[in-house]
């Protein structure tokens, strides 16, 4: 069969860094923004994605047909053959690659196979530019106790990785590797006491509330807010007027920890921020306290690393944490009722060093 060049545009993040995660494996996380520029009015169908190591003929990873649905935030967009893309329309696919042992940072090659309007095979070949820049390693943003990583790395259907931000003509994903940290007690519950409903709880009923938030590295404070009002758990959230830190984060701190690398802390308690813009601080210093301000449904710490001081027009970057204990895995909805035991999915015991927590991890910081 004759193979035609696919009339598509494929955009990817500007840098893709492999990161060692809490499962002991190295991962690549990136997106494919595929736009159909075919001159025919009928859609083309993405039938297969294959990822190869350099010039290898056998793919390391492959998705085809229904399996492509796992790469979409909204799986209903597929059919039995694959993902149809209408003329002039775009689909965004989220890829999480678990690299084989011994894989290097050399570029990977991916082949996209499409079925054209007349049934012809169309292909696009794209290089995956794997960055050799080391992933930033940081200290823990919280201390002691148990902390659940929710909406975390590896979950493309989270409101973090799955949220595209289009501002000033540019689409970015600031929260690609963001984590919402919820405090737990020794029984892995996030709320103390019995309540008629989650909406009947108050901030102090949540175990993480008012806990100290720490600088994860030496750095310079670039931006803060300290006057946003405290919220009430599980009450309706106002739709922000703009996608900015001041409208989303509530009270926050943005810390520059290296050139082009910024740590963002959000939803801090009103009046708890202890630092000021331009201040040089040391790793481990208390910069505020965990709260529920801004776009937060309950007390937790939103933490992310990105390439800009601003939320908008920034790209989320991977990070690793120097040391933590991984206690197991669970989902936040299992932690609400103190009367119901919270079973943790077992994980290999031990202390983890220089790894990135994944979605659902229950960890203990020093």
């Amino acid at each position: 069969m004759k193979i035609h060049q696919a009339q598509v545009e494929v955009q990817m993040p500007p840098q893709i860094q492999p990161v060692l995660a809490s499962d002991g494996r190295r991962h690549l996380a990136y997106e494919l923004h595929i736009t159909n520029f075919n001159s025919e009015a009928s859609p083309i169908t993405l039938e297969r994605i294959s990822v190869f190591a350099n010039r290898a003929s056998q793919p390391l990873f492959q998705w085809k047909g229904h399996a492509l649905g796992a790469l979409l935030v909204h799986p209903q967009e597929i059919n039995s053959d694959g993902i149809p893309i209408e003329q002039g329309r775009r689909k965004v696919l989220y890829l999480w690659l678990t690299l084989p042992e011994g894989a290097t940072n050399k570029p990977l090659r991916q082949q996209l196979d499409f079925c054209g309007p007349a049934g012809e095979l169309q292909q696009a070949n794209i290089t995956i530019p794997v960055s050799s820049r080391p992933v930033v390693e940081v200290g823990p943003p919280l201390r002691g106790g148990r902390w659940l990583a929710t909406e975390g790395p590896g979950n493309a259907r989270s409101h973090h990785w799955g949220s595209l931000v289009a501002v000033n003509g540019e689409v970015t994903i600031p929260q690609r590797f963001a984590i919402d940290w919820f405090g737990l007690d020794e029984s892995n519950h996030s709320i103390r006491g019995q309540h008629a409903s989650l909406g009947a709880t108050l901030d102090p009923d949540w175990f993480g509330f008012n806990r100290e938030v720490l600088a994860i590295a030496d750095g310079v404070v670039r931006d803060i807010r300290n006057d946003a009002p405290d919220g009430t758990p599980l009450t309706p959230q106002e739709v922000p007027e703009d996608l900015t830190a001041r409208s989303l984060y509530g009270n926050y701190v943005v810390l520059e920890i290296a050139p082009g690398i910024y740590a963002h802390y959000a939803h801090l308690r009103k009046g708890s921020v202890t630092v000021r813009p331009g201040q040089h601080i040391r790793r481990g210093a208390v910069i505020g306290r965990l709260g529920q301000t801004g776009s937060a449904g309950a007390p937790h710490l939103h933490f992310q690393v990105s390439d800009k001081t601003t939320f908008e027009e920034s790209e989320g970057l991977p990070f690793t944490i120097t040391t933590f204990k991984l206690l197991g895995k669970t989902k936040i909805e299992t932690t609400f009722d103190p009367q119901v035991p919270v079973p943790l999915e077992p994980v290999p015991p031990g202390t983890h060093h220089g790894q990135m927590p994944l979605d659902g991890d229950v960890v203990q910081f020093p």
Side-chain angles (χ1 to χ4, degrees):
M1 176 184 290
K2 184 177 180 181
I3 299 175
H4 300 267
Q5 292 180 342
Q7 296 179 32
V8 298
E9 178 192 54
V10 181
Q11 294 185 2
M12 300 172 61
Q15 60 174 315
I16 302 171
Q17 293 177 278
V19 58
L20 181 65
S22 60
D23 59 0
R25 306 295 298 275
R26 294 169 74 240
H27 302 274
L28 285 176
Y30 64 97
E31 309 80 46
L32 296 176
H33 299 244
I34 306 173
T35 305
N36 175 12
F37 285 97
N38 200 299
S39 58
E40 300 287 338
S42 301
I44 60 173
T45 299
L46 175 63
E47 295 186 325
R48 178 167 51 202
I49 297 177
S50 306
V51 178
F52 301 85
N54 299 319
R55 299 177 181 176
S57 58
Q58 294 299 315
L60 294 172
F61 312 95
Q62 190 172 85
W63 302 265
K64 57 184 178 179
H66 271 300
L68 289 166
L71 308 181
L72 291 166
V73 172
H74 303 293
Q76 67 270 20
E77 298 173 6
I78 69 167
N79 59 37
S80 60
D81 298 320
I83 301 173
I85 307 176
E86 301 286 343
Q87 182 188 36
R89 301 300 295 272
R90 170 182 291 191
K91 298 292 185 185
V92 181
L93 284 71
Y94 297 79
L95 281 77
W96 176 262
L97 307 186
T98 301
L99 299 175
E101 296 291 338
T104 67
N105 284 7
K106 292 182 179 180
L108 301 175
R109 175 174 58 88
Q110 57 194 348
Q111 177 179 298
L112 278 59
D113 293 338
F114 300 87
C115 179
E120 75 277 14
L121 175 62
Q122 300 183 5
Q123 282 186 349
N125 286 279
I126 303 103
T127 298
I128 305 173
V130 182
S131 173
S132 59
R133 179 180 179 178
V135 172
V136 62
E137 183 172 290
V138 303
L142 299 151
R143 74 166 102 243
R146 295 182 176 218
W147 299 95
L148 171 59
T150 62
E151 301 286 294
N155 180 5
R157 296 193 176 101
S158 73
H159 74 280
H160 288 152
W161 189 11
S163 294
L164 301 171
V165 177
V167 175
N168 292 331
E170 182 178 8
V171 175
T172 61
I173 303 184
Q175 305 175 97
R176 185 176 289 110
F177 299 96
I179 295 176
D180 284 345
W181 289 108
F182 281 80
L184 303 177
D185 68 0
E186 291 299 313
S187 299
N188 303 308
H189 293 102
S190 57
I191 300 173
R192 55 171 59 85
Q194 287 294 117
H195 303 274
S197 67
L198 293 178
T201 62
L202 300 175
D203 282 345
D205 296 323
W206 295 73
F207 279 103
F209 179 70
N210 205 40
R211 295 286 296 274
E212 292 180 334
V213 175
L214 310 178
I216 45 82
D218 295 353
V220 181
V221 178
R222 292 305 182 197
D223 196 11
I224 71 161
R225 185 180 180 184
N226 201 24
D227 62 353
D230 296 318
T232 302
L234 281 299
T235 55
Q237 302 289 307
E238 292 185 6
V239 177
E241 294 181 359
D242 295 296
L243 297 175
T244 67
R246 293 195 69 81
S247 62
L248 295 170
Y249 285 176
N251 299 313
Y252 65 88
V253 173
V254 177
L255 178 64
E256 183 178 9
I257 58 175
I261 300 179
Y262 301 86
H264 294 235
Y265 305 78
H267 311 319
L268 304 178
R269 188 177 184 183
K270 181 180 180 181
S272 72
V273 174
T274 61
V275 296
R276 64 185 185 280
Q279 181 179 350
H280 291 255
I281 58 174
R282 305 288 290 180
R283 173 178 158 176
V286 176
I287 62 173
R289 289 183 177 270
L290 187 148
Q292 189 212 336
T293 57
S295 294
H300 68 274
L301 173 67
H302 172 96
F303 177 81
Q304 69 186 53
V305 176
S306 75
D307 62 355
K308 290 184 175 64
T309 58
T310 57
F311 175 82
E312 67 280 12
E313 300 180 81
S314 68
E315 293 283 4
L317 303 177
F319 60 90
T320 60
I321 296 179
T322 51
T323 183
F324 60 89
K325 288 184 179 180
L326 180 59
L327 306 178
K329 298 181 76 73
T330 192
K331 297 182 181 298
I332 185 62
E333 55 265 27
T334 70
T335 71
F336 294 146
D337 190 343
Q339 300 289 321
V340 178
V342 181
L344 295 184
E345 179 184 329
V347 295
T351 300
H352 293 241
H353 301 283
Q355 297 180 354
M356 179 178 66
L358 295 174
D359 183 51
D361 282 354
V362 177
V363 310
Q364 187 171 42
F365 295 125

